Amino acid sequence: MGAEMSLKTKLRRAERLRQLRAFGLILPLLLFLVVTFVVPIADMLRRSVHDPELSQVWPATTGAITGWTARERLPDEAVFAALAGDLRTSRDAGTLATAARRLNYDFNGSRTLLFTTARKLPASAPSWTEALIAADPRWGETEVWGAINRASGPLTAFFLMQAVDLERDATGAMRAAPANEAIYIDVLGRTFGISLTVTVLCLLLGFPVAYLLANLPPRQANLLMILVLLPFWTSLLVRTAAWVVLLQDQGLINNLLIWVGVIEKPLRLMYNRVGVIVAMTHVLLPFMILPLYSVMKGISPVYLRAARSLGATPTIAFLRVYLPQCLPGFGAGALLTFILALGYYITPALVGGAADQMLSYFIAFYTSDTVNWGMASALGAVLLAATLVLYAVYTRLVGTDSVKLS
C-alpha cells in the first residue's frame, strides 16, 4: 500500500514538473503579450475616463466647485475667490496654457478668456465675483462654469460622450452634439463601411486564388504561393506609394485607358473612396487567401468524387459538398481582414481625400497634433467596443467553429 502511495506521489510530482516546464516555455510569450497588448489597451481605457489636467493646475477651484450645478445660478463667492487664486498661481507657474487647453475642449474661447482675465486680475478685491465679471462678462455665464465643473475630474465621461457625438448642457443634462460638431458617428460608420467593402472584395478575389493554390500540382502551387507571400516582404508604405503612381491622373492606369480609347480624359481615381478601397484590398488580400488555402488544402477530393458518383452535377457537388467545408476559412479570413481594415491609417491618409479618412486618422491626429490623449483614447475605446460587439454578434449568428482553421 505504501509503495502504491509513493508511486502516485511521484507521478503527481512529475506531472507538476511537466506543467511548470511547459509554463516556463510560454512565459516569455505571455509576458510579451501582457507588455505589448494588455497593458497598452488597459492604459488607453484608463486615459479615456481619467481627466486630471485641470485639477492639477487649479486644485482650489476644482475642489470648491464640487457639488455646484447650473441650476443654482452662478457659484458662490468662495468659488470665484478660489479661481482668482488659481489664475494667479498658474499664471506665475506657466501652467495657465494647460488649463486653457483643457477647457477649450469643452468651451470655445477659453484660452482668450483665461489669459485676458489673468492680465486684468487685481491684487485684491472686496468681491471676486464682481472683479472677475468686470474683467470678462463671460464669468457671469453658467456655460463657462459648467465647463470647469465637468473638467474637474479626476474621472469624467466627457471624452467618451464626445466620441459618440454627445455632450452635456450647462445644467448637466445629456444631449446630442450640434450638427456642425457631430462627426464621429459618421466617421465610425464610414470606417465600418470601408472595412466591410474591402473584406467582401478580398473574399471575391481571394477565393479563386486559394482554390487554385489548393488544387494545383505542388510545383506550380509553390510558385504561386511565393507570389501571394511577396507583398509581406515589401513595406506597406512602398505598396501604397505604388498605387499613388498607378492611380494618379497621369498614372499608368489612366494613360492605358486613354491609349486604348476607353476614356477621353483621366478618371479621378486618387483622393477618393475608389483609391482607398483599391489600395486596401491589394494590401489585405493575402490575409484572406492564406486562411482559405489552409482550409481548402485539408478538404479531400474524395467527397466531390462521391457526390459525382451519386449523380450530382459538378456545380451541385461544388455548392452542396465543397463550399460548406470552406466555411471555417471564410470566417477566419473575413474576420482577420475586417479587423485589420478597421485600424488602417497610412493607406487612407495617402490615397484618400478628406471625406475618406477612417477613425484611425482622428486617433493619430489627437495623439500627435493636438496631444489630446483623452480624446484619442476615447475614440480608440469606442472602436474597440464596436469591434467586440460586432465579433460577438458574428459568433452568435455564425458560431465559433466558422472562425477556426481546421
Side-chain angles (χ1 to χ4, degrees), residues 240-264:
T240 304
W243 278 108
V244 173
V245 175
L246 292 172
L247 297 176
Q248 60 184 319
D249 290 348
Q250 301 302 321
L252 296 178
I253 294 178
N254 272 314
N255 287 340
L256 178 62
L257 293 177
I258 292 175
W259 181 70
V260 298
V262 176
I263 58 176
E264 296 181 357

Side-chain angles (χ1 to χ4, degrees), residues 73-233:
R73 306 289 295 175
L74 293 177
D76 55 27
E77 174 66 17
V79 179
F80 278 88
L83 175 63
D86 282 338
L87 277 172
R88 185 179 296 107
T89 302
S90 60
R91 180 194 60 192
D92 296 339
T95 58
L96 191 59
T98 301
R101 183 182 68 242
R102 172 59 188 89
L103 289 178
N104 211 52
Y105 297 157
D106 196 359
F107 183 80
N108 291 330
S110 295
R111 184 178 181 85
T112 303
L113 171 64
L114 297 190
F115 279 91
T116 300
T117 304
R119 285 196 302 269
K120 296 180 179 180
L121 196 67
S124 61
S127 171
W128 285 111
T129 302
E130 296 178 358
L132 287 173
I133 294 176
D136 196 305
R138 283 177 290 182
W139 292 115
E141 302 173 359
T142 57
E143 285 79 5
V144 62
W145 291 103
I148 294 174
N149 189 33
R150 291 189 290 273
S152 296
L155 297 178
T156 182
F158 171 75
F159 297 115
L160 289 174
M161 291 174 57
Q162 196 173 36
V164 291
D165 294 334
L166 295 175
E167 64 179 16
R168 295 190 185 276
D169 59 18
T171 65
M174 189 180 299
R175 67 184 181 188
N180 60 333
E181 299 177 9
I183 63 171
Y184 298 113
I185 294 296
D186 289 341
V187 172
L188 185 63
R190 179 196 309 159
T191 300
F192 274 82
I194 292 176
S195 301
L196 182 61
T197 303
V198 170
T199 302
V200 172
L201 287 176
C202 285
L203 182 59
L204 295 176
L205 295 174
F207 182 84
V209 178
Y211 182 81
L212 189 61
L213 276 170
N215 292 278
L216 278 176
R219 187 180 183 86
Q220 291 90 332
N222 291 336
L223 179 60
L224 186 57
M225 180 60 75
I226 292 175
L227 297 179
V228 171
L229 295 177
L230 188 62
F232 289 118
W233 306 332

Side-chain angles (χ1 to χ4, degrees), residues 337-354:
T337 304
F338 183 80
I339 291 177
L340 288 174
L342 285 177
Y344 254 60
Y345 167 65
I346 294 179
T347 303
L350 290 180
V351 301

